[in-house]
Amino acid sequence: MAVAVLTCFAFLLVTGRYADEGPVLVVLRPGRGVHRGDLFVIAGWLLGVAAVLTAAASPGRRSR
């Protein structure tokens, strides 16, 4: 569930417009592309998903 929420937020940030998008690095189609600011969103998404997967894979504390 957490990965789905992270993915939705990242999708909204990457597809929307915000103040400091930066220059276009890769043109996908006219008027759309990957901006420098999108790289920070993607990096944050990767870190968030990695943290969720690490937490899910680690053995929990066992109660006695």
Side-chain angles (χ1 to χ4, degrees), residues 2-61:
V3 172
V5 172
L6 284 169
T7 301
C8 287
F9 280 135
F11 179 76
L12 289 172
L13 286 170
V14 169
T15 58
R17 291 182 179 227
Y18 43 94
D20 193 20
E21 292 177 333
V24 175
L25 301 176
V26 178
V27 176
L28 300 175
R29 62 180 185 223
R32 299 298 299 166
V34 177
H35 294 83
R36 185 179 59 205
D38 295 336
L39 298 179
F40 295 110
V41 173
I42 294 167
W45 176 81
L46 286 172
L47 287 172
V49 170
V52 169
L53 294 177
T54 300
S58 66
R61 293 168 66 176

